[in-house]
């Protein structure tokens, strides 16, 4: 059974750096073709894909946010970490991590975490 | 790049069929087979119901079907059930490292 869980601060100040951790079980991020992504959703709005990391450490970033994002993995700890610098109130929203199996090649996500609501405010 | 266009709302009665649209351009929906649909109930994580335009993941009822014509993808829910009331989000690959989402359609089962 695949599960993912997001953790990190729920309140950050403007200009701070946000660090979120996705801890997962039920799969290995060393398995050929598997990837984990981060997706966010501002309150009452649509989804936005942020970053994706593949089993072989290949990384993909949202082009408009690329300068602010870093995604890394710790395969031995079953964790994926996302950092986003220079946080702004517009970055307020729920942040999800999600699993993409090899057959989806990172284009779709079949298992999602419950999400973590991050508020950016002074 | 602009987001994909979805109507903000749709509705139908139990047992009926409803079709929701997702309009993009030749650079995203029209140019690739990587269109997905997610169902999201309030306060919950999205659930994948269609990938690669028309494929259903294991466990998703056959009542859900996807298609594409030109730059517009569509999701049809047949035999509407009360539990189908949710937000439906479409997403498409847009080349390079780019993925676009629509704003979501709120489906109401009357």
């Amino acid at each position: 059974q695949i599960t993912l869980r997001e953790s990190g601060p729920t309140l950050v100040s403007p200009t701070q750096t946000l660090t979120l951790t996705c801890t997962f079980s039920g799969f290995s991020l060393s398995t050929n073709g598997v990837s984990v992504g981060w997706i966010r959703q501002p309150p009452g709005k649509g989804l936005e894909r942020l970053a994706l990391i593949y089993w072989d450490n290949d990384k993909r970033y949202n082009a408009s946010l690329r300068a602010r994002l870093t995604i890394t993995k710790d395969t031995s700890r079953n964790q994926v970490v996302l950092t986003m610098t220079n946080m702004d109130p517009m970055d307020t929203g729920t942040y999800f991590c999600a699993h993409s199996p090899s057959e989806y090649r990172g284009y779709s996500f079949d298992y999602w975490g419950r999400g973590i609501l991050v508020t950016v405010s002074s | 790049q602009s987001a994909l266009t979805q109507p903000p709302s749709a509705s139908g009665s139990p047992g009926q069929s409803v079709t929701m649209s997702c309009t993009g351009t030749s650079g995203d929906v029209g140019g690739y087979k990587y269109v997905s649909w997610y169902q999201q109930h309030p306060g919950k994580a999205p659930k994948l119901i269609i990938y690669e335009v028309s494929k259903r993941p294991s466990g998703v009822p056959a009542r859900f079907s996807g298609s594409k014509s030109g730059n517009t993808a569509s999701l049809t829910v047949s035999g509407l059930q009360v539990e189908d009331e949710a937000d439906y989000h479409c997403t498409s690959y847009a080349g390079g490292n780019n993925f676009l989402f629509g704003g979501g359609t709120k489906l109401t089962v009357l």
Side-chain angles (χ1 to χ4, degrees), chain A residues 39 41 44-49 52 59-64 96 103-110 112-115, chain B residues 33-34 36 38 40 43-48 50-52 57-58 89 91 93 96-99 101-104:
Chain A
I39 306 95
Q41 184 173 33
K45 296 188 177 181
L47 299 163
E48 181 179 33
R49 187 169 169 139
L52 181 81
K59 302 169 186 178
R60 307 295 171 91
Y61 294 100
N62 179 313
S64 64
F96 299 96
E103 56 263 43
Y104 293 175
R105 297 188 291 159
Y107 292 100
S108 302
F109 301 102
D110 58 353
W112 293 60
R114 296 176 64 178
Chain B
K33 69 176 184 177
Y34 300 110
S36 302
Y38 293 90
Q40 186 178 31
K44 301 295 186 181
K47 173 188 175 183
L48 181 67
I50 295 289
Y51 68 102
E52 291 183 13
S58 174
H89 304 273
T91 179
Y93 178 60
N97 291 331
N98 301 309
F99 287 82
F101 276 93

Side-chain angles (χ1 to χ4, degrees), chain A:
Chain A
Q1 179 189 2
I2 290 176
T3 65
L4 305 99
R5 186 184 77 250
E6 305 85 354
S7 59
T10 57
L11 178 65
V12 297
S13 298
T15 75
Q16 278 194 327
T17 293
L18 171 69
T19 299
L20 295 175
T21 300
C22 175
T23 303
F24 57 84
S25 63
F27 69 96
S28 171
L29 200 39
S30 61
T31 299
N32 194 325
V34 172
S35 58
V36 171
W38 285 93
I39 306 95
R40 72 177 178 180
Q41 184 173 33
K45 296 188 177 181
L47 299 163
E48 181 179 33
R49 187 169 169 139
L50 300 177
L52 181 81
I53 189 164
Y54 286 93
W55 66 284
D56 60 357
N57 212 37
D58 186 15
K59 302 169 186 178
R60 307 295 171 91
Y61 294 100
N62 179 313
S64 64
L65 296 169
R66 171 64 182 95
R68 300 173 53 205
L69 295 172
T70 303
I71 189 169
T72 60
K73 66 181 178 74
D74 185 333
T75 303
S76 64
R77 300 180 67 181
N78 284 349
Q79 291 182 330
V80 171
V81 175
L82 180 76
T83 61
M84 179 180 287
T85 61
N86 194 24
M87 292 293 285
D88 182 271
M90 293 286 289
D91 295 314
T92 293
T94 298
Y95 287 70
F96 299 96
C97 64
H99 166 269
S100 183
S102 57
E103 56 263 43
Y104 293 175
R105 297 188 291 159
Y107 292 100
S108 302
F109 301 102
D110 58 353
Y111 290 92
W112 293 60
R114 296 176 64 178
I116 181 170
L117 176 60
V118 177
T119 301
V120 184
S121 174
S122 55

Side-chain angles (χ1 to χ4, degrees), chain B residues 6-88:
Chain B
Q6 295 184 254
S9 63
S11 62
S13 300
Q16 288 186 332
S17 293
V18 63
T19 297
M20 292 168 271
S21 63
C22 171
T23 301
T25 69
S26 58
D28 38 73
V29 174
Y32 302 96
K33 69 176 184 177
Y34 300 110
V35 176
S36 302
W37 290 87
Y38 293 90
Q39 176 193 63
Q40 186 178 31
H41 289 105
K44 301 295 186 181
K47 173 188 175 183
L48 181 67
I49 53 172
I50 295 289
Y51 68 102
E52 291 183 13
V53 176
S54 59
K55 297 180 179 179
R56 279 181 291 106
S58 174
V60 173
R63 305 186 293 105
F64 293 90
S65 62
S67 62
K68 187 179 79 166
S69 178
N71 298 335
T72 298
S74 299
L75 173 70
T76 297
V77 187
S78 305
L80 271 176
Q81 299 182 2
V82 173
E83 57 263 37
D84 297 333
E85 184 163 296
D87 293 329
Y88 291 83

